[in-house]
Each structure stands twice: as C-alpha cells, then as structure tokens.
Amino acid sequence: MAADSALLLGLVEEFVLGQQDRKAVDTATELKAGQFTILQLVEALGLHLTSSQPQTRARGVQLLSSVLQECHGDLTEREVEVLIVFYENRLKDHYVITPHVIQGLKALVSLKLSNLCHVVTLIDSFSHPTELKGLGADFVFGFVQSVDGERDPRNLLLAFRIAGKIVREGYDLGKFTEELFEVTSCYFPIDFSPPPNDPHGITQEELVLALRAVLTGTPRFAEFLLPLIIEKLDSDVQSAKVDSLQTLTACASVYEHKELAQFLPGLWASLRREVFQTASERVESAGLAAVGSLTACLSRSVLNSDSEDSLNVFLELVLKDCQHHLCEPDLKLVWPSAKLLQATSTASYRASHRVAAAVLPSLIEQYNSRTQVSHTIQLGRSIIVNVDESVLLDFRQSLCSVVFSALSESNADLQITSMRVLTALGQQTGLLLESDVELAVDHLTRLILEEEDPKVRLCAGALARLHPAAFISKMVPRLKEEIFSGDSATQSQEHSQQAVRQRCVAALAAVSSRPSLVQESTPVLLQVLTSAHTGMCHCHRLFCHRLASRAVSLFLDGDVSFLPENAFPSQIQLLKVRFQCDSRSQSQMVCLLMGCVCWLPRTVEVPQMDRLLLELEELSCTSDHPLSYTSAAKCYAGLVNKSPAGEMLKRISTELDSASSPVRTQAFTLLLWVSKALLLRYHPLSTALTDKLFSLLSDPELGSLAADGFSLLMSDSQDVLNRGSHADVRIMYRQRFFTENSAKLVEGFNAAVQEKKSGYLKALSHIVNNLPRQVQLTELPALLPLLLEALSCPDQGVQVSTLSCLQPVLLDPPSTLITQLEVLVGRTLALTTSPTMKVRIASLRCIHALSRFPEHEVRLWVLRALAAPLDDHKRVVRSEAAVARNEWFLLGSPGGR
C-alpha cells in the first residue's frame, strides 16, 4: 500500500505542480484498476487544496473533477456523500475554482443513487448560474438522466424546482427539449397523496405547483404540452380535469398566438364540453378561467401582415357553438353559453367588441319580439357586466329603450332584473345621459314605493354613488313627501302606509353613500325622530326615555330586537373600530345616535351615560374615518353640554402633547367640540380647554386647524349644540369669550415667531367676524393694528376673513378708522390683484365701502389702482371693481355725494 500511496502522490504532484494534464488520465486509469479510491485521492490532494495560491487549489479540484468524469459509475453512496460536501465547500472558494467545481457537478448529476436529493439540493443552491449555463445542453442531458424514473417525492419536488429554473432562466436545451419535457410531464397530473404522519411534510399542492411551473415555464414546451392537456381533459378524475385547466390558464400568460393557433379547435372542443356537461362548479369555474386566459393571450399578440388573426378564429368557434343557444326555447344550454360568452368578452377590449356586436342585436330583437322576455334581460346583463363602456356606446340607445320598457312591465322579477341591468349601465362612464339617470331614479322611486324587494335598495345605492345629484333632486324630496304624508289616514290604511314609510326610510339610508346625499337625508331622518312624538305631549317624556334607552342599547350592546325586519347581525358593534370597510360604514351610524340622544330635552336622563361617553371618546380618538370621529366628537359634546361635567378628557391632552401620536387630528376634533359645548354653558372647565386651543396656534401640525377652529367656536351649529336641540346656550357667550380672551390672543401674537403669527391673526378675524356689530365698533380701536397686520399676512384665508370682518364696519365707519385711512386703503388696494378670486372680491367690496368716508386725498390714488381689476379675467371681479370705481368717481363731483 505504501507503493500505491507513493504512486498516487506522484501523480498528484505531477498534475498540480508539474502542470502535466495527461496525468489526469493516468490517475483515472489507476483508480479503475483499484490502486486507490476516490476518497484517497481527495486525501492526497489535501495540501494542495489548502494552499494559499488560488491557482494551486484550482489545479487540485481540476484533477479530482477530471477523474470523476471517467470513474463516476464506480462510486459508492458513501463516496458520493463526501464528494457532495467537498464540492459544496469549494463553491465558497475563489472564482477561478468555480469552473472545475461545475465539471465535477456535471459528473455527479448523472448518478442514479438514493442520495440524488443531496445532489439536486447542491445544484439548487448554486450561486453561479452563468457557469452552469456554460455547460450547454450537456448539463440538461445529465439532469434528465438523473431524474428519470424518480419516485421519491422529496427528490421530485427538488427536481421540479431545478427544471423550473432551467426553463425560466434560458438554459440551452439543445436537442433535449422534448426529453426534459417527457421526464417531467410523465408525472402530470400529480396524483400523489402523502402517507399518514409523513415526517417530510410534502403536500400534493406543492408538487402540483412546482410541476406546473416547469410545464408552463417556456413556449418551447407548447407543442408537447397542449396535446397532453387535451388528452388529460378526457379523464374521469375531477382533480385531473381541474389541474389540466389551471395549467392551461397558466400557459396563456407565457404563450403567444403562434404557440396556440394549431391547437385552438381541440382546446375549444374540450373547454366547451367541460362547461356544457360538467356537474362540478369547480371544473366549470376552471374552464371559464381558461377560456378567458386564452382569449386575453390571443388578444395581446402582435400580428404580422401575413399571419392569421387567431383571436378572430377562436371567437368564431365560441360564437358558432354558443350564440344560437341564447335564442332557443330549451334553456338547458342558455346559461353555460352565456357564461362562456361573458368569459371571452371580459378578457379584452377586442373580444368584448366582437361578442357584443354579435350577441346584443339578437338579444334586443328577441326582447322586442316579446320572446322569453325575462331571461333575455338577464342574458343581456350577463353579457354587459364588466364590458368596456366604449364597446356599449353603439348600443346605448337600444339598451336604454329595452331596459326602460322592461321597467314598465307588471312582472316584479322583470322590473328588478331590468333595474340591475340599468345599474350595470350606470356604472359605466357616458352610457347614461342625465335624462336617462333621472328617468332611472323615477323608476327606482316608484319601485321603492310599490315593491318589498330589498334588491331595489341595493340598485339605488349602487347608482346613487355615481349620480348623487339626480337622487338629491328627484328621490329624496319624493321619499320625504311620502314619509310625512297620510297623517289623516284611517286605521285601516295606517298599516299599509307604515310599511311604505319604512321602505322609504330604508331607501334613504341605502342611497346616503356620498356626503352630499347624507347632508340631504340626515335632516329627514332627524325629522322622522322628531315627528314621532308630535301631538303626544301627555306622553312626550315617556317617549323620550324609551327613545334614549333603545338608541343607547343598540349602540352600546348591539340590541337589535326592537328593529322590525332588521338586517343587522346579532352581535353588531356600532361604536367599535375594526379598520375594515364594513365596520367603517357601521361606525358612521354614530351620526344617528347623535340625532337620538343630543336632541332630547335636558330633563330626560340618558341611560348608561358614563359608559356611553367612554365609548364615544374611544371612537373619536381611534377611528381614521373623518365622518365617524367627527360625529362621535359632536355626540360627546352634545351630551356633555347637558350633563354635570367633572374631570374629563385626560386622553385629549395625552394625544395632543405627543408629537408622534397618529391620532392628534382626532383628539383635536374632540377638544374643539367639547370646548364649544362647555363654552356655551359658561362651564369653568371651558377656560382650560380654550387655553389649550390657543397654545395649539403655534403647533406645526395643528396650527392651521386650531385657527379655523375659532370659527366653529363662535358660530352657530346646525346639527348639535343649538337651542333647537335643547342645548344649554347662555346669552352673550360670544361677547364674554371675547372679553376674557382677546388679551391672550394679542399677547400670543406678540410673542410668536414671525412664521406663526398668521395663526393668531386668523383666529382673531374669526372671533371678531362673529361678534355683534355694536361690539365690533366698540372693540375696533384696540384691535385695528392687528387687523391691519392681518391684511399683510400671506395666508389668503386670513385675508378673506379679515376683509369680511372689516367690510360691514366700513359701512358706518368710526372716527378711529379715519386716522388709519391711508394704511387701510393701501393694503386693501394691494389685495385687489390677489391670485385668489375670493380675496379680490372681498377687497373690492371694502374699497367700495371706503367711499363712504369723507373726501380725502386718496381719491386719485384709488381710481388709478382700480383700473387693473377692471380687466380681471373673472366677470364677478370686474363687476365689483366697476361698482367700487363708480362710487369713487362720484366723490367730489357736482352731482356726487
């Protein structure tokens, strides 16, 4: 053995250091002769493989890989395991060694051993795909040999992944394209079922998806795969059909028309059979998806001048086999045909145009001939859903004529179906004219009054989201009229009228999906609550306990038992935030709670007040939906205004004082409304809250909102906190607020840095704007410097508010203003050329009012300055300029003032 060892070391030295390449052949010959083993060769290479020189290490790996190419058939499993570990470590070495590692892998990949899993894993993790590609088709052939006949699901899963990389990353398949397809497609469709307690956890779904990625990974497999799919669709096994259909769907994202063209008749025959004859919804759904994918694939293909339009060929096949079924008395194949036509028409613009042009005229003719009217309308709806609006423009008039005709029929089901068609048309831009929408709203209103079917409300809600103006002008007034009519009805009529009223109220709720519609419908709903106890003075108080109790029980506990024919889930939580679309729509209903509990007389006790306030505070500080958190804040404020107030709203300060809080806007909204609630009733806590608002005027995030908030504090609110809602509103609260806080505002302005002063000026203008005129005249001398400063503020909101505040005072100017006339005129004239139209109009009105002052040397100055607004591009600005300039012309003239 010593002699054998010396022989081996000599061969290694001569190859590695002596650069004698022929010694690789000699080494392989001696290994085959049994002079030493492959592992002994690895051991003999040890010193060279650990050399500091990359070229020396590369020569050592080259020798081993060259010998393996000659002797891989004689290796044992143990030797293969060692070699796999060896090559895996060499992959981390210098890049000059990589080509020789690939050479060794090429030899190992053609093994047929039980440890194939390790070899494939090694290839799968290889980080030099360019080197593997450099092996060309030889690597592919070696891989095909290595996986041929494999049964172990672990190896198959890894092999499918490798094969997927080969086809997706552009390896040269050479003449082995069909071989690679055959060695993988023989497992299609996968019928593997894992054994009980399988320790490897390999599932059928994993194998199915991995194999599908291989088969659909390249168009080069099309000529082999498409016939295979057609063949497998004849299977009686449902899972095999579904797998085949889903694989066909996946192909369509990779193939072009040239790969599909010759197989279209066979594919269509199989797809038609599966949709027409199957009793399985899963198979039908997969078949329709495949039809749509094929259509989309054929639609996006770019045609040459001499190539056939494969899309047109495919659509001709579909229309030939489906169109005639739509007009047959036997309805058995009507809906399968309609589904197939819908699958093709929704796949692309070209397909939708072709199908609509072929099908819609015959359906319209069929309706006009009064043949199978109901199912014709339903078929039309199935065809036009999701079809591009431009496709339907040619049929707009005929479709509308059919739909409005069907809506006039006495058949209730036909009316509902027609309305759903109309809703589908309404969701497409430009298909319904304004007159069509108004007519549709008239029909919907009639159906709401006549029919119990909730589908009418659904249609109304869908159309209202797109055309709110028509519902505001047509439906809301009509429903309101119906809700409050019939007060003198006899007892026998009352039950029927009550049912109609309930439908009208439900319809109002259904269409209130846009702010403009909510603004119109909410007063009606509140009037319903108010009128419910009109004329019942003797039991008015009892009615208000009952109303409050039910409303609170509904919103706090989800008690829906008192609602007739309600459609709410039993565990509804109307004051909880779940950050989902459905829960958002539920939380918006807090505005109805506000209408119930905030309009009650102050003598009526609201049950569970503490718990209700906690829930409202939570909603107002956590919801990200403006309508929800604003309504919750209003409701909270409406309750606090009428209740004894103790320590409250620690959370507001916590959120506002944290610059990183995501709900600072929500907390500010709650602070603003509660401040108003307490200010109205002279509550001692109002001072602390309004001081907090003053401090926020310098806040980088909330400063502008805080300034505008003073307008809300000082103005009347329509839906809550007013005398009509029995709120506690003390007289002269505005004057008191101004007297107590004007000095704070001036101090804050003087102390603020320049870029923050505009917030104080805006707040001041909002406060002064809402004071009675006599108070304005009294306080003007002290405030005039700040108001003049506000006219120079770059904030256009401040400018408009200040000008609006000054204009009525200028109509009867106090003597204090005369001393500041030049400054006032100069700053006002400068604003007549503002980029904002509202500022230009307000400044011109002030200039007009200034003409009431005694004649002054500023007359010529004003006339020259007013020449520019006469050429303003807005007519309303030119009009105001002309009026103001005429007044100044008259000053000093013989017939003037």
Side-chain angles (χ1 to χ4, degrees):
M1 193 67 188
D4 296 341
S5 176
L7 172 65
L8 176 57
L9 290 173
L11 291 169
V12 169
E13 292 293 325
E14 290 172 346
F15 182 89
V16 176
L17 300 178
Q19 301 292 317
Q20 301 181 36
D21 291 347
R22 68 178 184 277
K23 292 300 178 181
V25 177
D26 295 341
T27 304
T29 302
E30 296 297 335
L31 188 146
K32 289 180 180 179
Q35 296 298 319
F36 44 81
T37 67
I38 195 72
L39 296 184
Q40 288 173 331
L41 173 58
V42 174
E43 186 178 351
L45 287 167
L47 289 176
H48 303 296
L49 295 175
T50 58
S51 169
S52 61
Q53 299 298 318
Q55 291 80 6
T56 301
R57 300 198 301 274
R59 288 291 289 179
V61 176
Q62 182 182 359
L63 175 59
L64 177 62
S65 297
S66 299
V67 171
L68 272 179
Q69 286 186 313
E70 300 294 329
C71 307
H72 61 268
D74 301 323
L75 298 180
T76 66
E77 285 195 36
R78 170 61 183 158
E79 289 172 332
V80 171
E81 290 175 357
V82 173
L83 290 171
I84 288 171
V85 174
F86 171 81
Y87 279 116
E88 188 175 9
N89 289 326
R90 297 287 73 74
L91 287 173
K92 304 169 186 175
D93 206 337
H94 197 276
Y95 68 88
V96 300
I97 301 173
T98 300
H100 307 303
V101 175
I102 299 296
Q103 188 182 11
L105 289 176
K106 180 181 176 183
L108 288 177
V109 82
S110 48
L111 294 172
K112 292 179 67 64
L113 299 170
S114 61
N115 59 8
L116 173 66
C117 177
H118 300 294
V119 181
V120 176
T121 303
L122 182 61
I123 300 172
D124 187 37
S125 62
F126 192 64
S127 58
H128 298 77
T130 304
E131 306 292 346
L132 285 177
K133 289 180 182 179
L135 294 175
D138 288 344
F139 174 75
V140 176
F141 178 68
F143 176 77
V144 168
Q145 284 187 311
S146 68
V147 299
D148 190 17
E150 182 60 49
R151 303 295 297 172
D152 189 324
R154 294 172 297 167
N155 290 349
L156 284 176
L157 186 58
L158 289 168
F160 292 159
R161 289 172 180 169
I162 295 295
K165 284 188 175 182
I166 290 173
V167 298
R168 287 194 307 274
E169 296 179 7
Y171 282 70
D172 180 16
L173 303 185
K175 60 183 179 181
F176 302 114
T177 301
E178 186 172 3
E179 282 76 6
L180 181 58
F181 176 80
E182 291 293 341
V183 81
T184 51
S185 65
C186 64
Y187 301 98
F188 179 79
I190 296 289
D191 59 358
F192 167 75
S193 297
N197 303 318
D198 179 20
H200 305 297
I202 295 177
T203 65
Q204 181 183 24
E205 183 70 10
E206 285 180 302
L207 290 169
V208 166
L209 295 178
L211 176 56
R212 185 177 299 158
V214 178
L215 300 180
T216 63
T218 173
R220 288 173 287 183
F221 284 167
E223 61 178 307
F224 314 117
L225 178 58
L226 295 177
L228 179 63
I229 289 176
I230 293 173
E231 175 190 336
K232 296 301 181 181
L233 283 174
D234 286 332
S235 171
D236 294 329
V237 181
Q238 179 177 315
S239 60
K241 289 180 180 290
V242 172
D243 192 0
S244 299
L245 291 167
Q246 290 175 343
T247 301
L248 178 59
T249 300
C251 289
S253 64
V254 179
Y255 293 178
E256 296 183 5
H257 72 97
K258 59 180 180 291
E259 284 85 27
L260 294 170
Q262 63 176 311
F263 302 104
L264 288 177
L267 288 171
W268 167 245
S270 297
L271 291 169
R272 177 194 60 200
R273 181 186 67 242
E274 296 308 322
V275 176
F276 276 1
Q277 299 179 8
T278 186
S280 166
E281 290 186 7
R282 191 164 172 238
V283 172
E284 181 189 61
S285 177
L288 293 172
V291 170
S293 297
L294 284 178
T295 307
C297 174
L298 298 172
S299 299
R300 63 174 174 264
S301 298
V302 179
L303 302 178
N304 298 323
S305 58
D306 57 345
S307 61
E308 187 178 28
D309 187 350
S310 298
L311 175 63
N312 192 53
V313 172
F314 185 66
L315 292 179
E316 287 293 340
L317 293 171
V318 176
L319 289 169
K320 177 183 176 183
D321 289 338
C322 295
Q323 185 176 359
H324 65 94
H325 289 304
L326 303 183
C327 303
E328 291 178 351
D330 183 6
L331 300 180
K332 181 180 179 181
L333 296 179
V334 166
W335 291 114
S337 298
K339 291 176 182 178
L340 285 166
L341 290 169
Q342 186 183 35
T344 56
S345 64
T346 56
S348 74
Y349 173 82
R350 286 180 61 204
S352 63
H353 196 282
R354 178 74 176 85
V355 172
V359 172
L360 287 180
S362 60
L363 288 179
I364 293 171
E365 181 181 355
Q366 185 173 337
Y367 174 84
N368 291 332
S369 67
R370 315 303 293 171
T371 304
Q372 304 183 66
V373 169
S374 181
H375 104 267
T376 301
I377 293 290
Q378 295 182 47
L379 287 172
R381 177 175 176 267
S382 71
I383 297 299
I384 67 173
V385 170
N386 297 323
V387 171
D388 191 275
E389 62 267 17
S390 59
V391 173
L392 299 176
L393 282 175
D394 292 341
F395 306 98
R396 189 200 70 78
Q397 188 172 356
S398 297
L399 287 172
C400 289
S401 175
V402 167
V403 169
F404 287 126
S405 171
L407 283 171
S408 303
E409 298 283 343
S410 58
N411 185 309
D413 290 337
L414 180 59
Q415 291 176 341
I416 299 300
T417 303
S418 303
M419 186 51 64
R420 296 172 75 175
V421 174
L422 190 62
T423 303
L425 293 174
Q427 291 173 338
Q428 307 269 25
T429 305
L431 286 183
L432 293 184
L433 303 178
E434 184 178 353
S435 58
D436 296 327
V437 175
E438 291 179 350
L439 183 57
V441 174
D442 287 339
H443 279 290
L444 273 170
T445 306
R446 175 180 58 80
L447 291 174
I448 287 169
L449 299 177
E450 296 176 357
E451 302 293 338
E452 298 281 353
D453 199 321
K455 295 189 187 73
V456 178
R457 295 198 299 272
L458 293 176
C459 293
L463 206 57
R465 281 190 288 272
L466 299 165
H467 305 281
F471 283 80
I472 291 173
S473 63
K474 306 283 285 186
M475 179 177 283
V476 174
R478 181 70 182 90
L479 295 183
K480 178 180 178 181
E481 177 187 352
E482 192 65 33
I483 289 171
F484 299 114
S485 67
D487 291 335
S488 59
T490 64
Q491 188 171 3
S492 61
Q493 298 172 319
E494 181 62 29
H495 179 74
S496 174
Q497 289 186 345
Q498 184 63 25
V500 173
R501 291 192 190 103
Q502 289 179 359
R503 292 202 298 273
C504 292
V505 171
L508 274 180
V511 301
S512 299
S513 54
R514 290 281 183 259
S516 56
L517 272 164
V518 172
Q519 190 173 358
E520 297 296 325
S521 63
T522 300
V524 179
L525 297 175
L526 292 175
Q527 190 176 347
V528 170
L529 295 172
T530 304
S531 64
H533 52 85
T534 299
M536 299 174 60
C537 295
H538 64 284
C539 60
H540 180 209
R541 181 180 176 85
L542 178 62
F543 171 84
C544 295
H545 277 316
R546 188 176 183 186
L547 176 63
S549 177
R550 285 184 168 180
V552 172
S553 179
L554 170 64
F555 278 83
L556 286 184
D557 304 316
D559 180 10
V560 296
S561 59
F562 67 93
L563 297 176
E565 300 180 9
N566 72 81
F568 292 117
S570 58
Q571 297 298 321
I572 189 170
Q573 295 179 307
L574 296 176
L575 295 182
K576 298 295 183 184
V577 177
R578 293 290 183 268
F579 299 103
Q580 298 171 352
C581 292
D582 56 342
S583 62
R584 278 186 178 185
S585 63
Q586 291 180 6
S587 66
Q588 292 176 51
M589 294 180 68
V590 70
C591 63
L592 296 181
L593 174 65
M594 178 181 71
C596 291
V597 298
C598 293
W599 284 66
L600 294 172
R602 276 177 270 169
T603 55
V604 176
E605 181 180 353
V606 177
Q608 304 187 68
M609 174 66 85
D610 292 341
R611 182 184 168 200
L612 183 58
L613 288 175
L614 284 174
E615 293 286 350
L616 288 169
E617 181 183 1
E618 179 69 16
L619 177 60
S620 66
C621 287
T622 56
S623 174
D624 62 350
H625 188 267
L627 177 60
S628 297
Y629 68 70
T630 303
S631 297
K634 287 182 178 181
C635 189
Y636 189 106
L639 293 172
V640 166
N641 173 263
K642 301 175 186 177
S643 308
E647 187 176 356
M648 63 177 73
L649 302 176
K650 290 182 179 178
R651 180 167 186 174
I652 289 182
S653 296
T654 302
E655 301 292 357
L656 290 175
D657 293 341
S658 172
S660 60
S661 172
V663 293
R664 294 189 80 218
T665 300
Q666 292 90 318
F668 168 77
T669 304
L670 182 57
L671 168 67
L672 185 61
W673 280 99
V674 174
S675 299
K676 182 177 180 69
L678 299 184
L679 172 65
L680 292 176
R681 57 181 286 196
Y682 293 173
H683 193 280
L685 279 178
S686 65
T687 301
L689 296 181
T690 52
D691 284 348
K692 185 67 176 178
L693 286 175
F694 281 123
S695 71
L696 290 173
L697 289 172
S698 299
D699 187 273
E701 179 187 1
L702 299 175
S704 180
L705 289 176
D708 286 329
F710 284 92
S711 174
L712 187 148
L713 278 185
M714 301 296 286
S715 59
D716 292 328
S717 173
Q718 299 301 315
D719 50 0
V720 71
L721 295 178
N722 54 59
R723 289 186 172 89
S725 64
H726 308 286
D728 188 353
V729 181
R730 305 295 175 89
I731 61 172
M732 301 179 66
Y733 77 89
R734 295 182 178 88
Q735 294 91 311
R736 178 172 175 171
F737 176 80
F738 175 79
T739 301
E740 293 177 352
N741 293 285
S742 58
K744 297 178 186 177
L745 199 58
V746 174
E747 290 172 6
F749 171 82
N750 293 329
V753 296
Q754 188 61 39
E755 58 267 22
K756 301 296 182 184
K757 289 183 180 292
S758 62
Y760 291 88
L761 295 174
K762 185 185 288 188
L764 173 66
S765 61
H766 285 318
I767 293 171
V768 175
N769 240 339
N770 286 280
L771 290 174
R773 186 180 176 193
Q774 192 57 45
V775 178
Q776 290 178 340
L777 294 173
T778 303
E779 301 294 339
L780 191 62
L783 296 177
L784 190 57
L786 276 185
L787 292 174
L788 292 175
E789 182 76 23
L791 291 179
S792 300
C793 177
D795 188 307
Q796 292 161 350
V798 175
Q799 295 170 359
V800 171
S801 182
T802 305
L803 290 167
S804 301
C805 171
L806 286 172
Q807 193 256 343
V809 177
L810 296 177
L811 295 175
D812 187 12
S815 58
T816 313
L817 272 178
I818 297 176
T819 61
Q820 299 287 338
L821 186 60
E822 269 193 51
V823 177
L824 180 59
V825 170
R827 294 186 179 179
T828 307
L829 283 174
L831 296 177
T832 60
T833 56
S834 166
T836 303
M837 185 178 70
K838 288 183 178 180
V839 175
R840 300 199 301 272
I841 293 174
S843 61
L844 288 168
R845 288 174 178 169
C846 284
I847 291 294
H848 181 190
L850 282 168
S851 66
R852 298 173 179 270
F853 278 59
E855 185 177 351
H856 195 271
E857 62 269 16
V858 299
R859 177 172 175 268
L860 293 178
W861 176 28
V862 172
L863 290 175
R864 283 195 298 269
L866 288 179
L870 289 174
D871 293 326
D872 196 278
H873 63 284
K874 291 292 185 180
R875 185 189 60 80
V876 65
V877 177
R878 297 196 301 270
S879 176
E880 291 288 347
V883 171
R885 199 163 188 258
N886 287 340
E887 287 293 325
W888 279 89
F889 261 123
L890 291 174
L891 287 177
S893 64
R897 293 185 283 104

